[in-house]
Each structure stands twice: as structure tokens, then as C-alpha cells.
Amino acid sequence: MAKSVLLVGVGGQGTILAGKILSNGLLAAGYDVKMSEIHGMSQRGGAVSTHVRYGDKVFSPVIEKGGADVLIAFEQLEALRWISYLKPDGVAIVNSQVIFPTGVLAGTAEYPADVLDRLDKGVDTKVMDATKEAEAIGNPRGQNVLLVGAIAKLMNLGDVDWKSVIASLVKPQFVEMNQKAFDRGFELV
């Protein structure tokens, strides 16, 4: 039976790299893995989603509404936008960071003040300040890898050699910082 993880965020947050780390780790663990990326206007701060499905045999990379076992949101409003993709018994891990979309910045829309309250109704929601945690370990851009660590712990994937996976996907000068971020995310769940 396939499991589905949906990672959502805003362009520049590292959502796609997080999906690649997760996918490569799952492949190393022997799973059949399919991944799909949707960039939107990711270069300009638009929505980005990465679908990762894994199991003994996976036929499609795309997660349908109500089909995600785990929703990882790198930003609050993106969690709210994508919550309908989560299974009724699924888990949402939400970074508490707020990034105002273009409409809010232009004054044509308002950012909802109660996003986390709205998410918590009827959904198992775990909120963490991944941005602050990444900054605390000296890697302000490491929130994405920190969230992968949280996924790995939540989905009982601790037996994967995540340090090697990370080393294979990030520039050498950033390997150690990203490994620390992963470990911190794993600890937080």
C-alpha cells in the first residue's frame, strides 16, 4: 500500500529540494518512489508543491484530494490552501512562518489572522517554528531539511542513511549544516 506525502510552500523555501531528499531517502530504503513537482510562479514567491508517493509499487506520482497521509507546509497559508488533500486520519506539519502573497503585499487581499486555528479543527496538526529552529542551529535556510527530519521521524523512516542522502544532494559547503537541520527536525517530532 502506497503512502503519500505532500510538501507545499512558497518559491525560495526549498520545497523541491526537500522533496528530492525525501524521495532519494525512500529509494535508498528500497521503496518504489514517484515524485511530481509543481512550480507555479516559484521564482517569484508563488506556490510550490511536491507530491511524493512511496510503497511496494506506486503507479502515479500525483496525490488526489483526500489522499495525503502527511501534509508538510512550509508556510501557514499554504497549509490552509492544501488541507483538502489530507486524509481524514492524516497529519499536517506546519511551519509557523508567514509569507505574504502578492495580493496581500499589493493591498488587494488580506492574510487570514486565524490560519492555525482553522487548520486545527478536525485535523491532526503539529505546528513548529522551523524557521526559528533552523536559525538557532546557524542555518537560516535549513528549514526545508529540518522539516524533512520531522517527516522521517513521523513516518518511522529513521533507519535510512539520511546523512548520505543529504550529502549527495547539497553543495559540499552546506552538507554539515543541512545534516544538523535534519537531526533537529527529527528531534522535534
Side-chain angles (χ1 to χ4, degrees):
M1 180 162 172
K3 294 281 189 182
S4 300
V5 180
L6 180 60
L7 299 95
V8 298
V10 174
Q13 287 189 290
T15 309
I16 293 171
L17 175 60
K20 288 179 182 177
I21 292 170
L22 179 61
S23 295
N24 283 10
L26 292 166
L27 282 169
Y31 292 104
D32 182 27
V33 180
K34 302 288 186 276
M35 179 177 130
S36 175
E37 308 162 2
I38 300 171
H39 300 264
M41 293 288 287
S42 61
Q43 295 290 327
R44 302 205 168 131
V48 177
S49 67
T50 302
H51 300 233
V52 177
R53 299 194 67 234
Y54 71 98
D56 292 332
K57 187 67 183 157
V58 178
F59 298 99
S60 170
V62 179
I63 301 168
E64 69 283 349
K65 283 190 176 187
D69 296 284
V70 179
L71 171 69
I72 306 297
F74 288 49
E75 193 274 341
Q76 290 184 33
L77 190 56
E78 291 305 313
L80 194 57
R81 287 182 187 171
W82 289 90
I83 200 68
S84 64
Y85 282 77
L86 191 63
K87 287 181 177 178
D89 61 343
V91 177
I93 298 176
V94 181
N95 183 10
S96 60
Q97 183 177 25
V98 170
I99 298 176
F100 293 127
T102 306
V104 172
L105 294 173
T108 59
E110 285 188 35
Y111 196 98
D114 60 346
V115 172
L116 295 178
D117 291 335
R118 289 166 64 183
L119 284 171
D120 202 29
K121 291 182 179 159
V123 175
D124 184 0
T125 305
K126 299 178 184 333
V127 179
M128 66 172 57
D129 193 339
T131 306
K132 180 181 169 186
E133 292 289 341
E135 288 171 357
I137 60 170
N139 185 7
R141 294 188 46 115
Q143 67 185 0
N144 59 338
V145 181
L146 190 139
L147 289 166
V148 173
I151 298 167
K153 177 71 172 274
L154 183 71
M155 300 197 75
N156 298 314
L157 298 168
D159 55 343
V160 174
D161 183 1
W162 292 105
K163 291 190 184 305
S164 294
V165 172
I166 292 166
S168 73
L169 290 169
V170 302
K171 293 179 181 175
Q173 65 267 34
F174 302 119
V175 169
E176 187 177 337
M177 288 189 318
N178 281 291
Q179 290 170 338
K180 283 182 185 176
F182 178 91
D183 290 342
R184 183 65 185 136
F186 197 87
E187 293 168 4
L188 288 172
V189 173

